[in-house]
Short mmCIF file of all heavy atoms in Angstrom, two decimals:
data_model
loop_
_atom_site.label_atom_id
_atom_site.label_comp_id
_atom_site.label_asym_id
_atom_site.label_seq_id
_atom_site.Cartn_x
_atom_site.Cartn_y
_atom_site.Cartn_z
N GLY A 12 -117.12 -37.99 -204.40
CA GLY A 12 -116.33 -37.17 -205.30
C GLY A 12 -117.16 -36.01 -205.81
O GLY A 12 -118.36 -35.93 -205.56
N CYS A 13 -116.51 -35.11 -206.54
CA CYS A 13 -117.18 -33.95 -207.12
C CYS A 13 -117.27 -34.15 -208.62
O CYS A 13 -116.25 -34.38 -209.28
CB CYS A 13 -116.43 -32.67 -206.78
SG CYS A 13 -117.32 -31.16 -207.24
N LEU A 14 -118.48 -34.05 -209.17
CA LEU A 14 -118.72 -34.27 -210.59
C LEU A 14 -118.66 -32.94 -211.33
O LEU A 14 -119.45 -32.03 -211.06
CB LEU A 14 -120.08 -34.95 -210.80
CG LEU A 14 -120.27 -36.26 -210.04
CD1 LEU A 14 -121.63 -36.86 -210.33
CD2 LEU A 14 -119.16 -37.26 -210.36
N SER A 15 -117.73 -32.84 -212.26
CA SER A 15 -117.45 -31.62 -213.01
C SER A 15 -118.24 -31.66 -214.31
O SER A 15 -117.90 -32.42 -215.23
CB SER A 15 -115.94 -31.53 -213.26
OG SER A 15 -115.62 -30.56 -214.21
N LEU A 16 -119.28 -30.83 -214.42
CA LEU A 16 -120.25 -30.96 -215.51
C LEU A 16 -120.19 -29.80 -216.49
O LEU A 16 -120.18 -28.63 -216.09
CB LEU A 16 -121.67 -31.03 -214.93
CG LEU A 16 -121.98 -32.20 -214.01
CD1 LEU A 16 -123.38 -32.04 -213.43
CD2 LEU A 16 -121.86 -33.53 -214.74
N THR A 17 -120.20 -30.12 -217.76
CA THR A 17 -120.52 -29.15 -218.79
C THR A 17 -122.03 -29.18 -218.99
O THR A 17 -122.75 -29.83 -218.23
CB THR A 17 -119.80 -29.46 -220.11
OG1 THR A 17 -120.21 -30.76 -220.58
CG2 THR A 17 -118.29 -29.44 -219.93
N GLY A 18 -122.53 -28.53 -220.03
CA GLY A 18 -123.97 -28.54 -220.26
C GLY A 18 -124.38 -28.73 -221.70
O GLY A 18 -125.54 -28.97 -222.00
N TYR A 19 -123.43 -28.65 -222.64
CA TYR A 19 -123.81 -28.58 -224.05
C TYR A 19 -124.35 -29.88 -224.61
O TYR A 19 -124.97 -29.90 -225.68
CB TYR A 19 -122.63 -28.07 -224.90
CG TYR A 19 -121.46 -29.01 -225.02
CD1 TYR A 19 -121.33 -29.85 -226.12
CD2 TYR A 19 -120.46 -29.03 -224.05
CE1 TYR A 19 -120.25 -30.69 -226.26
CE2 TYR A 19 -119.37 -29.86 -224.18
CZ TYR A 19 -119.27 -30.69 -225.28
OH TYR A 19 -118.18 -31.53 -225.40
N GLU A 20 -124.14 -31.00 -223.90
CA GLU A 20 -124.76 -32.26 -224.29
C GLU A 20 -125.60 -32.81 -223.14
O GLU A 20 -125.82 -34.02 -223.03
CB GLU A 20 -123.69 -33.29 -224.69
CG GLU A 20 -122.96 -32.98 -225.97
CD GLU A 20 -123.80 -33.20 -227.22
OE1 GLU A 20 -124.95 -33.63 -227.08
OE2 GLU A 20 -123.30 -32.92 -228.32
N GLY A 21 -126.09 -31.92 -222.27
CA GLY A 21 -126.85 -32.37 -221.13
C GLY A 21 -125.95 -32.86 -220.02
O GLY A 21 -124.73 -32.65 -220.03
N ILE A 22 -126.53 -33.54 -219.02
CA ILE A 22 -125.76 -34.03 -217.88
C ILE A 22 -126.11 -35.47 -217.57
O ILE A 22 -127.25 -35.91 -217.76
CB ILE A 22 -125.98 -33.16 -216.62
CG1 ILE A 22 -127.43 -33.28 -216.09
CG2 ILE A 22 -125.65 -31.70 -216.90
CD1 ILE A 22 -127.64 -32.67 -214.72
N LEU A 23 -125.11 -36.21 -217.14
CA LEU A 23 -125.27 -37.58 -216.64
C LEU A 23 -125.94 -38.51 -217.65
O LEU A 23 -126.53 -39.52 -217.28
CB LEU A 23 -126.06 -37.57 -215.32
CG LEU A 23 -125.52 -36.64 -214.23
CD1 LEU A 23 -126.42 -36.69 -212.99
CD2 LEU A 23 -124.09 -36.99 -213.84
N GLY A 24 -125.84 -38.16 -218.94
CA GLY A 24 -126.44 -38.99 -219.99
C GLY A 24 -127.83 -38.56 -220.40
O GLY A 24 -128.44 -39.21 -221.26
N TYR A 25 -128.35 -37.49 -219.84
CA TYR A 25 -129.69 -37.00 -220.16
C TYR A 25 -129.56 -35.71 -220.97
O TYR A 25 -128.81 -34.80 -220.58
CB TYR A 25 -130.49 -36.77 -218.88
CG TYR A 25 -130.71 -38.07 -218.13
CD1 TYR A 25 -129.72 -38.61 -217.31
CD2 TYR A 25 -131.89 -38.79 -218.28
CE1 TYR A 25 -129.89 -39.82 -216.66
CE2 TYR A 25 -132.09 -40.00 -217.62
CZ TYR A 25 -131.08 -40.51 -216.82
OH TYR A 25 -131.25 -41.70 -216.18
N ARG A 26 -130.26 -35.61 -222.06
CA ARG A 26 -130.09 -34.49 -222.99
C ARG A 26 -130.94 -33.30 -222.56
O ARG A 26 -132.03 -33.06 -223.07
CB ARG A 26 -130.41 -34.93 -224.42
CG ARG A 26 -129.54 -36.10 -224.88
CD ARG A 26 -128.05 -35.85 -224.65
NE ARG A 26 -127.22 -37.03 -224.91
CZ ARG A 26 -126.09 -37.28 -224.28
NH1 ARG A 26 -125.67 -36.48 -223.32
NH2 ARG A 26 -125.39 -38.35 -224.57
N THR A 27 -130.39 -32.58 -221.58
CA THR A 27 -131.11 -31.48 -220.94
C THR A 27 -130.75 -30.12 -221.53
O THR A 27 -131.19 -29.09 -221.01
CB THR A 27 -130.79 -31.47 -219.44
OG1 THR A 27 -129.35 -31.39 -219.26
CG2 THR A 27 -131.29 -32.74 -218.77
N SER A 28 -129.96 -30.08 -222.60
CA SER A 28 -129.48 -28.82 -223.15
C SER A 28 -130.42 -28.31 -224.24
O SER A 28 -131.23 -29.06 -224.80
CB SER A 28 -128.08 -29.00 -223.72
OG SER A 28 -128.09 -29.98 -224.75
N THR A 29 -130.27 -27.04 -224.55
CA THR A 29 -131.02 -26.43 -225.64
C THR A 29 -130.09 -26.20 -226.83
O THR A 29 -128.88 -26.17 -226.70
CB THR A 29 -131.61 -25.08 -225.22
OG1 THR A 29 -130.53 -24.22 -224.80
CG2 THR A 29 -132.60 -25.25 -224.08
N ASP A 30 -130.71 -26.05 -227.98
CA ASP A 30 -129.99 -25.69 -229.19
C ASP A 30 -130.61 -24.40 -229.70
O ASP A 30 -131.72 -24.39 -230.24
CB ASP A 30 -130.10 -26.80 -230.24
CG ASP A 30 -129.34 -26.48 -231.51
OD1 ASP A 30 -128.87 -25.34 -231.64
OD2 ASP A 30 -129.23 -27.36 -232.38
N THR A 31 -129.92 -23.31 -229.52
CA THR A 31 -130.50 -22.01 -229.85
C THR A 31 -130.65 -21.81 -231.36
O THR A 31 -131.41 -20.94 -231.80
CB THR A 31 -129.63 -20.87 -229.29
OG1 THR A 31 -128.29 -21.02 -229.77
CG2 THR A 31 -129.62 -20.91 -227.78
N LYS A 32 -129.98 -22.62 -232.17
CA LYS A 32 -130.07 -22.45 -233.62
C LYS A 32 -131.27 -23.17 -234.20
O LYS A 32 -131.78 -22.80 -235.26
CB LYS A 32 -128.78 -22.96 -234.28
CG LYS A 32 -127.53 -22.18 -233.88
CD LYS A 32 -126.29 -22.77 -234.55
CE LYS A 32 -125.03 -22.02 -234.13
NZ LYS A 32 -123.81 -22.62 -234.72
N ASP A 33 -131.72 -24.22 -233.57
CA ASP A 33 -132.80 -25.02 -234.13
C ASP A 33 -133.64 -25.57 -232.98
O ASP A 33 -133.31 -26.61 -232.41
CB ASP A 33 -132.22 -26.16 -234.98
CG ASP A 33 -133.31 -27.04 -235.58
OD1 ASP A 33 -134.45 -26.56 -235.68
OD2 ASP A 33 -133.01 -28.20 -235.92
N TRP A 34 -134.71 -24.87 -232.66
CA TRP A 34 -135.49 -25.26 -231.48
C TRP A 34 -136.97 -25.13 -231.78
O TRP A 34 -137.40 -24.27 -232.55
CB TRP A 34 -135.12 -24.39 -230.28
CG TRP A 34 -135.38 -25.06 -228.96
CD1 TRP A 34 -136.26 -24.69 -227.99
CD2 TRP A 34 -134.75 -26.24 -228.48
NE1 TRP A 34 -136.22 -25.56 -226.92
CE2 TRP A 34 -135.29 -26.53 -227.20
CE3 TRP A 34 -133.78 -27.10 -229.00
CZ2 TRP A 34 -134.90 -27.63 -226.45
CZ3 TRP A 34 -133.39 -28.20 -228.23
CH2 TRP A 34 -133.94 -28.45 -226.99
N ASN A 35 -137.77 -26.00 -231.19
CA ASN A 35 -139.22 -25.92 -231.36
C ASN A 35 -139.90 -26.51 -230.13
O ASN A 35 -139.22 -27.00 -229.20
CB ASN A 35 -139.66 -26.65 -232.64
CG ASN A 35 -139.17 -28.10 -232.67
OD1 ASN A 35 -139.28 -28.83 -231.69
ND2 ASN A 35 -138.63 -28.52 -233.82
N GLU A 36 -141.22 -26.49 -230.11
CA GLU A 36 -141.97 -26.94 -228.93
C GLU A 36 -141.75 -28.41 -228.65
O GLU A 36 -141.66 -28.83 -227.49
CB GLU A 36 -143.46 -26.64 -229.11
CG GLU A 36 -143.81 -25.17 -229.07
CD GLU A 36 -145.31 -24.93 -229.17
OE1 GLU A 36 -146.06 -25.93 -229.20
OE2 GLU A 36 -145.72 -23.76 -229.19
N ALA A 37 -141.68 -29.22 -229.68
CA ALA A 37 -141.47 -30.66 -229.49
C ALA A 37 -140.12 -30.94 -228.83
O ALA A 37 -140.01 -31.77 -227.92
CB ALA A 37 -141.58 -31.40 -230.81
N LYS A 38 -139.09 -30.23 -229.28
CA LYS A 38 -137.76 -30.43 -228.69
C LYS A 38 -137.74 -29.94 -227.25
O LYS A 38 -137.09 -30.56 -226.39
CB LYS A 38 -136.71 -29.71 -229.52
CG LYS A 38 -136.44 -30.37 -230.86
CD LYS A 38 -135.31 -29.66 -231.61
CE LYS A 38 -135.01 -30.37 -232.92
NZ LYS A 38 -133.91 -29.72 -233.66
N GLU A 39 -138.43 -28.86 -226.98
CA GLU A 39 -138.47 -28.36 -225.61
C GLU A 39 -139.22 -29.33 -224.70
O GLU A 39 -138.82 -29.56 -223.55
CB GLU A 39 -139.12 -26.98 -225.55
CG GLU A 39 -139.25 -26.39 -224.16
CD GLU A 39 -137.91 -26.20 -223.45
OE1 GLU A 39 -136.86 -26.11 -224.12
OE2 GLU A 39 -137.92 -26.13 -222.21
N ALA A 40 -140.30 -29.93 -225.20
CA ALA A 40 -141.04 -30.93 -224.41
C ALA A 40 -140.16 -32.13 -224.10
O ALA A 40 -140.16 -32.66 -222.98
CB ALA A 40 -142.30 -31.36 -225.16
N ALA A 41 -139.37 -32.57 -225.10
CA ALA A 41 -138.45 -33.69 -224.88
C ALA A 41 -137.39 -33.32 -223.86
O ALA A 41 -137.01 -34.14 -223.01
CB ALA A 41 -137.82 -34.11 -226.20
N ARG A 42 -136.89 -32.09 -223.94
CA ARG A 42 -135.88 -31.64 -222.98
C ARG A 42 -136.43 -31.63 -221.56
O ARG A 42 -135.76 -32.04 -220.61
CB ARG A 42 -135.38 -30.25 -223.36
CG ARG A 42 -134.24 -29.74 -222.48
CD ARG A 42 -133.78 -28.37 -222.94
NE ARG A 42 -134.57 -27.31 -222.37
CZ ARG A 42 -134.24 -26.63 -221.27
NH1 ARG A 42 -133.14 -26.93 -220.61
NH2 ARG A 42 -135.01 -25.66 -220.83
N GLN A 43 -137.67 -31.18 -221.40
CA GLN A 43 -138.26 -31.14 -220.07
C GLN A 43 -138.42 -32.56 -219.50
O GLN A 43 -138.25 -32.77 -218.30
CB GLN A 43 -139.61 -30.42 -220.10
CG GLN A 43 -139.52 -28.93 -220.38
CD GLN A 43 -138.69 -28.19 -219.33
OE1 GLN A 43 -138.65 -28.56 -218.15
NE2 GLN A 43 -138.00 -27.13 -219.76
N LYS A 44 -138.75 -33.52 -220.36
CA LYS A 44 -138.83 -34.92 -219.90
C LYS A 44 -137.47 -35.41 -219.43
O LYS A 44 -137.37 -36.15 -218.43
CB LYS A 44 -139.35 -35.81 -221.03
CG LYS A 44 -140.84 -35.66 -221.29
CD LYS A 44 -141.32 -36.66 -222.33
CE LYS A 44 -142.81 -36.54 -222.57
NZ LYS A 44 -143.29 -37.50 -223.60
N GLU A 45 -136.41 -35.02 -220.12
CA GLU A 45 -135.07 -35.40 -219.71
C GLU A 45 -134.71 -34.75 -218.38
O GLU A 45 -134.06 -35.36 -217.52
CB GLU A 45 -134.05 -35.02 -220.78
CG GLU A 45 -134.15 -35.82 -222.07
CD GLU A 45 -133.63 -37.23 -221.91
OE1 GLU A 45 -132.41 -37.44 -222.04
OE2 GLU A 45 -134.44 -38.13 -221.65
N ARG A 46 -135.10 -33.51 -218.20
CA ARG A 46 -134.85 -32.83 -216.92
C ARG A 46 -135.57 -33.55 -215.78
O ARG A 46 -135.03 -33.73 -214.69
CB ARG A 46 -135.29 -31.36 -217.00
CG ARG A 46 -134.35 -30.48 -217.80
CD ARG A 46 -134.87 -29.05 -217.93
NE ARG A 46 -134.99 -28.41 -216.62
CZ ARG A 46 -134.02 -27.71 -216.03
NH1 ARG A 46 -132.84 -27.59 -216.61
NH2 ARG A 46 -134.22 -27.14 -214.85
N GLU A 47 -136.81 -33.94 -216.03
CA GLU A 47 -137.56 -34.67 -215.01
C GLU A 47 -136.92 -36.03 -214.71
O GLU A 47 -136.89 -36.47 -213.56
CB GLU A 47 -139.01 -34.87 -215.48
CG GLU A 47 -139.82 -33.58 -215.56
CD GLU A 47 -141.17 -33.79 -216.23
OE1 GLU A 47 -141.52 -34.97 -216.51
OE2 GLU A 47 -141.86 -32.79 -216.49
N ALA A 48 -136.39 -36.67 -215.75
CA ALA A 48 -135.80 -37.99 -215.56
C ALA A 48 -134.51 -37.93 -214.78
O ALA A 48 -134.20 -38.84 -214.00
CB ALA A 48 -135.57 -38.65 -216.92
N VAL A 49 -133.72 -36.87 -214.97
CA VAL A 49 -132.42 -36.81 -214.29
C VAL A 49 -132.54 -36.30 -212.86
O VAL A 49 -131.63 -36.53 -212.05
CB VAL A 49 -131.43 -35.94 -215.10
CG1 VAL A 49 -131.68 -34.45 -214.89
CG2 VAL A 49 -129.99 -36.28 -214.76
N ALA A 50 -133.63 -35.63 -212.53
CA ALA A 50 -133.76 -35.03 -211.19
C ALA A 50 -133.57 -36.04 -210.06
O ALA A 50 -132.82 -35.77 -209.11
CB ALA A 50 -135.10 -34.30 -211.07
N PRO A 51 -134.23 -37.22 -210.09
CA PRO A 51 -133.99 -38.17 -208.99
C PRO A 51 -132.58 -38.73 -208.96
O PRO A 51 -132.09 -39.12 -207.89
CB PRO A 51 -135.03 -39.28 -209.24
CG PRO A 51 -135.42 -39.14 -210.67
CD PRO A 51 -135.28 -37.69 -211.01
N ILE A 52 -131.90 -38.76 -210.11
CA ILE A 52 -130.50 -39.21 -210.14
C ILE A 52 -129.64 -38.21 -209.37
O ILE A 52 -128.82 -38.59 -208.52
CB ILE A 52 -129.99 -39.33 -211.59
CG1 ILE A 52 -130.97 -40.09 -212.48
CG2 ILE A 52 -128.60 -39.95 -211.60
CD1 ILE A 52 -131.19 -41.51 -212.11
N VAL A 53 -129.84 -36.93 -209.66
CA VAL A 53 -129.09 -35.88 -208.96
C VAL A 53 -129.37 -35.94 -207.46
O VAL A 53 -128.44 -35.85 -206.64
CB VAL A 53 -129.47 -34.50 -209.53
CG1 VAL A 53 -128.89 -33.38 -208.66
CG2 VAL A 53 -128.99 -34.36 -210.97
N GLU A 54 -130.64 -36.11 -207.10
CA GLU A 54 -131.00 -36.15 -205.69
C GLU A 54 -130.32 -37.30 -204.96
O GLU A 54 -129.80 -37.14 -203.85
CB GLU A 54 -132.52 -36.27 -205.56
CG GLU A 54 -133.02 -36.29 -204.14
CD GLU A 54 -134.53 -36.44 -204.04
OE1 GLU A 54 -135.20 -36.50 -205.09
OE2 GLU A 54 -135.04 -36.50 -202.90
N GLU A 55 -130.30 -38.48 -205.59
CA GLU A 55 -129.68 -39.63 -204.95
C GLU A 55 -128.16 -39.48 -204.87
O GLU A 55 -127.54 -39.88 -203.87
CB GLU A 55 -130.04 -40.92 -205.71
CG GLU A 55 -129.46 -42.19 -205.12
CD GLU A 55 -129.95 -42.51 -203.71
OE1 GLU A 55 -130.89 -41.85 -203.23
OE2 GLU A 55 -129.37 -43.43 -203.09
N LEU A 56 -127.55 -38.91 -205.89
CA LEU A 56 -126.12 -38.66 -205.83
C LEU A 56 -125.79 -37.72 -204.67
O LEU A 56 -124.87 -37.98 -203.89
CB LEU A 56 -125.63 -38.07 -207.15
CG LEU A 56 -125.57 -39.02 -208.35
CD1 LEU A 56 -125.37 -38.25 -209.64
CD2 LEU A 56 -124.46 -40.05 -208.17
N ARG A 57 -126.53 -36.64 -204.55
CA ARG A 57 -126.28 -35.70 -203.46
C ARG A 57 -126.48 -36.37 -202.10
O ARG A 57 -125.70 -36.16 -201.18
CB ARG A 57 -127.21 -34.49 -203.59
CG ARG A 57 -126.74 -33.45 -204.59
CD ARG A 57 -127.43 -32.12 -204.35
NE ARG A 57 -126.87 -31.04 -205.14
CZ ARG A 57 -125.77 -30.38 -204.84
NH1 ARG A 57 -125.08 -30.69 -203.75
NH2 ARG A 57 -125.34 -29.40 -205.60
N ARG A 58 -127.52 -37.17 -202.01
CA ARG A 58 -127.82 -37.82 -200.73
C ARG A 58 -126.70 -38.75 -200.29
O ARG A 58 -126.46 -38.91 -199.08
CB ARG A 58 -129.14 -38.61 -200.85
CG ARG A 58 -129.67 -39.15 -199.52
CD ARG A 58 -130.87 -40.05 -199.73
NE ARG A 58 -130.51 -41.34 -200.29
CZ ARG A 58 -130.07 -42.38 -199.59
NH1 ARG A 58 -129.92 -42.28 -198.27
NH2 ARG A 58 -129.76 -43.52 -200.18
N THR A 59 -126.00 -39.34 -201.26
CA THR A 59 -124.99 -40.35 -200.94
C THR A 59 -123.57 -39.84 -201.10
O THR A 59 -122.65 -40.61 -201.38
CB THR A 59 -125.20 -41.60 -201.81
OG1 THR A 59 -125.23 -41.23 -203.20
CG2 THR A 59 -126.52 -42.29 -201.45
#
C-alpha cells in the first residue's frame, strides 16, 4: 500500500519534526536520533 504522511508530528511514530517557535540544540539532537531510528523502518517498508 501507499502510506500518506504528514510531518507535523513526525512519521511512523518517530518525532522527526521541528518546532519553529521553541527550538534548541538539545531538541535538534533528539530529533536527529529519531530520524536515525526511523531510517531502517522506511528502508524495510520500501523493500517489502
Side-chain angles (χ1 to χ4, degrees):
C13 189
L14 304 181
S15 167
L16 299 175
T17 60
Y19 69 96
E20 291 287 358
I22 67 169
L23 307 178
Y25 296 81
R26 302 309 172 211
T27 56
S28 60
T29 58
D30 181 351
T31 56
K32 297 179 181 177
D33 179 22
W34 205 244
N35 55 45
E36 290 184 3
K38 288 184 178 181
E39 178 60 23
R42 184 178 86 95
Q43 292 300 328
K44 286 185 178 179
E45 292 286 275
R46 286 176 62 90
E47 292 171 7
V49 79
I52 313 296
V53 170
E54 181 181 359
E55 180 62 10
L56 288 168
R57 280 198 171 279
R58 189 187 73 83
T59 54

